[in-house]
């Protein structure tokens, strides 16, 4: 049975950085060569980064991307990596239009090009806008083994490339992917890939991207499954990794080509003879999936880190209020960037409690952050007295003064301002536009309030396991949440209990359930009406909120697109 050593290059590209991504490709292919690999598979669009969005429609970028593929093929050969069959993803352009493409590079040449057939157009994906579908499949024979290729969505949809490869006959399928993370995605991913391997009648090599790109984060979790669905290897989540394994592959000497299952199959022989027998490596460890809270925390850390660093910032600043949301954001920022890159600002007003001030200072001490106190009482008083503000207007000017102060410090020192609002507050509009909503990134934007508490307790428990000081003061977790914009204010004055509220929001926002469905789920009609109205009225605020890492099935932004001007209301 022919042998083959495979390498899965789970890398973190940067969108638009063709030169940097090309260097990354050469570097990681060299690592694969040093490990003795015969084939290395990079993620989908690894040379351009993913998603490129409307960059795909820019002819100059598409042409530069295609040229970069040819350049990388030559560079790999010059670097002594030409004997490794290297699969890279890129943006192509032909007479039909832009293409989500992958190329096979060998001995300094592009020996195969293939375009993604299934173009996703749901959730965060708009690929019908960006790309034209492919209709051909290129199968190459390397060392006597027939290798077919599919690109990301081609394994997530029934029929098409996998069905065609199954009919044509291949010995191995490689699948470059850029599949964004959301909670519990691996519960779907692994069974799906196992099923597709069985349909193709061949082992399947799934290489996924890792890292953050705007509001998306990719978890890696690259895997190899046998034709019978057995998991053979798995890379760790949320970190770059080169997964290397040896396989004994049942080569079938396949010859079918032409039109199969609606696609045209082409074959090319690179080397017909199997490799001489060699001593295989020890089986790589199968990385265990992270626990649910560890997975989410890692996603938030990576999403924040990459947004900050890929956009050229070195530090962040935001309000340290002493509350749970800013404490969790501070702990995330310290894990992502290091405490020295975090600049906390306490901005007390006349309504700020002593415990909020002391909890903020204690938070900064625990994570090693910079900390300064900038009272806003006099600044607020100027607005209140001059404009004679009362009630909600007086409350909101406090938040807006704080937002203005943070942006001034950002301009002064070059920090990126973080918004600390959570998904629950964003859903019901419990935030002040141009106030606590200011910033360039919102790390917990897609985290419901009850989940914020769960993450805080989990992170502290993890610190204790390692013999470290828990980063989040216990008082920030246990005290009743309050915006502290008026005397003795609590969130519960304006909102239902958070556990109840998050249950309703999960059904209404994530599940798109109507009033009758919510009633059938057992919620009180008056509470339903109140919550639904708050959500519907707050769309204009959500549109102006900073981006933040997606972790749920339906995040505000790309996933949920409702008109701002909208007279439809759920009624009972």
């Amino acid at each position: 049975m022919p042998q083959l050593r495979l390498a899965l290059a789970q890398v973190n590209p940067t969108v638009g950085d063709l030169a940097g991504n090309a260097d990354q490709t050469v570097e990681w292919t060299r690592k694969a060569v040093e490990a003795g690999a015969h084939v290395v598979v990079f993620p989908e669009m690894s040379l351009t980064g993913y998603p490129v969005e409307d960059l795909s429609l820019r002819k100059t970028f598409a042409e530069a991307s295609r040229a970069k593929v040819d350049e990388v093929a030559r560079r790999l050969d010059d670097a002594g990596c030409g004997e490794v069959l290297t699969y890279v993803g890129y943006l192509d352009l032909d007479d039909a239009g832009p293409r989500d493409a992958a190329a096979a590079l060998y001995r300094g040449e592009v020996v195969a090009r293939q375009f993604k057939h299934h173009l996703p157009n749901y959730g965060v994906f708009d690929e019908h806008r960006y790309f034209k579908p492919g209709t051909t499949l290129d199968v190459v024979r390397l060392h006597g083994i027939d290798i077919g290729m599919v690109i990301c969505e081609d394994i997530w949809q029934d029929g098409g490339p996998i069905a065609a490869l199954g009919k044509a006959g291949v010995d191995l399928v490689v699948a470059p992917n850029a599949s964004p993370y959301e909670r519990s995605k691996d519960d779907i991913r692994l069974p799906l890939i196992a099923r597709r391997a069985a349909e193709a009648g061949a082992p399947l090599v799934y290489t996924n991207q890792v890292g953050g790109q705007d509001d998306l984060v990719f978890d890696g979790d690259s895997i190899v499954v046998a034709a019978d669905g057995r998991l053979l290897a798995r890379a760790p989540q949320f970190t770059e990794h080169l997964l290397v394994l040896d396989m004994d592959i049942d080569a079938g000497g396949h010859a079918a080509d032409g039109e199969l299952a609606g696609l045209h199959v082409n074959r090319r022989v690179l080397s017909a003879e199997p490799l001489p027998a060699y001593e295989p490596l020890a089986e790589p460890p199968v990385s265990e999936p992270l626990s649910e809270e560890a997975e989410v925390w890692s996603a938030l850390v990576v999403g924040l880190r990459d947004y900050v660093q890929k956009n050229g910032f070195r530090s962040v600043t935001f309000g340290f209020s002493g509350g749970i949301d800013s404490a969790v954001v501070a702990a995330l920022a310290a894990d992502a960037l290091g405490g020295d890159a975090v600049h906390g600002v306490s901005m007390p007003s006349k309504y700020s409690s002593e415990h909020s001030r002391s909890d903020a200072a204690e938070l900064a001490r625990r994570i090693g952050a910079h900390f300064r106190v900038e009272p806003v009482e006099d600044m607020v008083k100027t607005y209140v007295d001059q404009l004679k503000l009362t009630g909600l207007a007086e409350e909101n000017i406090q938040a807006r003064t704080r937002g203005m102060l943070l942006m001034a410090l950002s301009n002064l020192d070059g920090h990126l301002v973080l918004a600390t609002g959570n998904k629950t507050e964003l859903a019901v509009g419990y935030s002040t536009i141009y106030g606590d909503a200011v910033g360039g990134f919102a790390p917990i934007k897609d985290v419901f309030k009850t989940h914020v508490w769960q993450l805080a307790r989990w992170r502290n428990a993890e610190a204790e396991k390692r013999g470290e000081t828990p980063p989040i003061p216990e008082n920030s977790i246990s005290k009743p949440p309050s915006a502290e914009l008026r005397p003795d204010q609590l969130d519960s004055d304006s909102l239902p209990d958070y556990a109840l509220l998050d249950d309703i929001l999960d059904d209404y926002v994530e599940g798109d359930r109507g009033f009758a469905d919510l009633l059938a789920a057992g919620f009180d009609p008056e509470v339903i009406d109140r919550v639904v109205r708050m959500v519907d009225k707050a769309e204009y605020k959500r549109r102006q909120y900073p981006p933040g890492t997606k972790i749920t099935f339906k995040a505000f932004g790309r996933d949920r697109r409702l008109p701002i001007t909208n007279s439809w209301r759920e009624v009972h």
Side-chain angles (χ1 to χ4, degrees):
M1 197 176 287
Q3 292 176 285
L4 200 66
R5 184 169 294 172
L6 305 170
L8 289 71
Q10 180 174 289
V11 296
N12 181 359
T14 298
V15 166
D17 186 7
L18 294 176
N21 296 336
D23 291 344
Q24 181 182 68
T25 302
V26 174
E27 176 191 352
W28 283 75
T29 304
R30 188 179 287 116
K31 292 179 182 180
V33 169
E34 291 169 356
H38 308 113
V39 177
V40 58
V41 184
F42 284 84
E44 176 184 14
M45 299 194 82
S46 54
L47 281 181
T48 57
Y50 180 91
V52 295
E53 302 187 65
D54 275 13
L55 276 176
S56 65
L57 308 179
R58 191 169 293 179
K59 184 179 179 182
T60 52
F61 183 66
E63 290 174 341
S65 167
R66 185 180 174 97
K68 189 63 68 173
V69 174
D70 296 324
E71 176 194 312
V72 168
R74 294 190 296 271
R75 285 182 61 186
L76 289 175
D77 198 41
D78 292 342
C81 303
E83 292 299 317
V84 176
L85 181 62
T86 303
Y87 286 89
V88 298
Y90 72 105
L91 172 68
D92 206 324
L93 178 68
D94 61 12
D95 291 341
R99 307 282 199 165
D100 182 334
L105 314 180
Y106 188 65
R107 294 180 177 175
E109 298 180 24
V110 177
V111 295
R113 294 183 193 266
Q114 188 169 309
F115 306 143
K116 185 193 245 180
H117 176 70
H118 289 302
L119 302 177
N121 217 59
Y122 55 85
V124 300
F125 304 106
D126 292 298
E127 295 200 359
H128 282 222
R129 171 185 174 92
Y130 304 132
F131 305 120
K132 297 298 182 183
T135 57
T136 62
L137 301 176
D138 284 1
V139 177
V140 298
R141 180 171 295 177
L142 179 75
H143 305 309
I145 296 168
D146 290 323
I147 304 173
M149 173 171 51
V150 295
I151 302 173
C152 199
E153 192 71 10
D154 291 341
I155 63 171
W156 290 87
Q157 300 294 329
D158 292 330
I162 286 288
L165 290 177
K167 289 186 176 182
V170 291
D171 306 318
L172 180 71
V173 178
V174 299
N177 268 255
S179 182
Y181 168 78
E182 61 190 44
R183 291 176 69 181
S184 303
K185 190 161 191 176
D186 196 61
D187 294 346
I188 303 169
R189 177 187 287 149
L190 181 55
L192 172 76
I193 294 170
R195 194 163 65 248
R196 296 299 185 230
E199 291 172 15
L204 197 151
V205 177
Y206 170 99
T207 304
N208 194 28
Q209 179 175 313
V210 70
Q213 169 59 30
D214 294 345
D215 53 346
L216 300 181
V217 66
F218 301 84
D219 64 328
D221 195 29
S222 301
I223 57 180
V224 180
V225 298
D228 61 6
R230 286 178 298 116
L231 177 63
L232 301 178
R234 171 189 255 139
Q237 292 175 281
F238 299 107
T239 185
E240 290 189 306
H241 185 77
L242 187 72
L243 180 61
V244 181
L245 78 158
D246 283 299
M247 296 188 69
D248 294 322
I249 297 177
D250 187 9
H254 310 286
D257 58 9
E259 294 296 322
L260 294 164
L263 296 167
H264 190 88
V265 177
N266 302 309
R267 292 185 181 270
R268 179 171 180 178
V269 176
L270 303 178
S271 54
E273 294 301 314
L275 290 163
Y278 62 86
E279 186 66 27
L281 300 172
E283 291 185 4
V286 176
S287 298
E288 289 296 320
L290 297 171
S291 69
E292 183 175 358
E293 301 304 349
E295 187 180 84
V296 170
W297 189 270
S298 298
L300 297 174
V301 166
V302 170
L304 172 57
R305 180 200 67 204
D306 279 2
Y307 189 87
V308 171
Q309 295 179 349
K310 289 181 178 181
N311 284 290
F313 290 94
R314 296 186 299 274
S315 55
V316 296
T317 190
F318 52 98
F320 278 29
S321 69
I324 184 63
D325 295 325
S326 64
V328 167
V329 169
L332 286 166
D335 284 357
L337 307 168
D340 193 51
V342 181
H343 294 254
V345 187
S346 174
M347 297 171 284
S349 74
K350 66 179 181 180
Y351 301 121
S352 298
S353 62
E354 182 54 41
H355 63 73
S356 290
R357 303 181 196 209
S358 61
D359 289 342
E362 175 63 11
L363 170 68
R365 185 192 69 79
R366 291 185 180 209
I367 65 172
H370 299 272
F371 184 69
R372 65 194 290 174
V373 179
E374 298 290 349
V376 298
E377 184 171 349
D378 289 345
M379 288 183 264
V380 169
K381 188 175 185 300
T382 299
Y383 281 106
V384 170
D385 290 348
Q386 181 167 330
L387 299 177
K388 304 205 171 22
L389 302 177
T390 60
L392 184 62
E394 181 184 1
E395 291 180 27
N396 285 346
I397 200 62
Q398 295 170 66
R400 292 191 173 112
T401 300
R402 289 175 173 133
M404 183 171 60
L405 193 156
L406 289 171
M407 292 309 301
L409 293 177
S410 171
N411 290 158
L412 183 66
D413 297 324
H415 310 308
L416 175 69
V417 177
L418 301 182
T420 60
N422 59 68
K423 188 170 189 175
T424 305
E425 294 171 350
L426 196 58
V428 297
Y430 195 64
S431 64
T432 303
I433 198 166
Y434 319 124
D436 55 292
V438 303
F441 195 71
I444 59 172
K445 175 183 180 178
D446 198 31
V447 184
F448 284 117
K449 184 76 170 190
T450 50
H451 197 196
V452 173
W453 275 306
Q454 292 169 15
L455 288 173
R457 295 187 183 97
W458 173 85
R459 181 62 183 84
N460 277 3
E462 287 298 301
E464 289 173 349
K465 288 179 187 177
R466 297 195 291 262
E468 301 169 355
T469 301
I472 301 170
E474 179 58 34
N475 197 41
S476 293
I477 299 174
S478 59
K479 65 186 175 185
S482 169
E484 293 191 333
L485 299 176
R486 62 175 183 266
D488 303 318
Q489 182 184 20
L490 294 174
D491 288 6
S492 55
D493 299 338
S494 306
L495 300 173
D497 176 77
Y498 276 119
L500 171 62
L501 178 56
D502 283 353
D503 277 348
I504 296 174
L505 292 174
D506 185 59
D507 282 352
Y508 185 57
V509 174
E510 300 265 331
D512 275 326
R513 301 178 75 178
F515 207 105
D517 295 324
L518 296 172
L519 279 175
F523 298 116
D524 180 84
E526 291 185 6
V527 177
I528 296 171
D529 188 66
R530 179 183 171 199
V531 171
V532 165
R533 287 182 180 277
M534 285 192 291
V535 173
D536 291 350
K537 288 170 63 177
E539 187 62 35
Y540 77 101
K541 288 187 178 182
R542 290 190 287 272
R543 288 286 188 96
Q544 299 180 68
Y545 208 76
T549 303
K550 166 186 164 68
I551 63 162
T552 65
F553 172 71
K554 184 170 288 187
F556 290 124
R558 301 180 198 230
D559 276 332
R560 188 178 188 271
R561 311 177 196 185
L562 293 175
I564 297 172
T565 306
N566 174 18
S567 294
W568 170 257
R569 294 291 179 265
E570 293 289 334
V571 294
H572 59 93

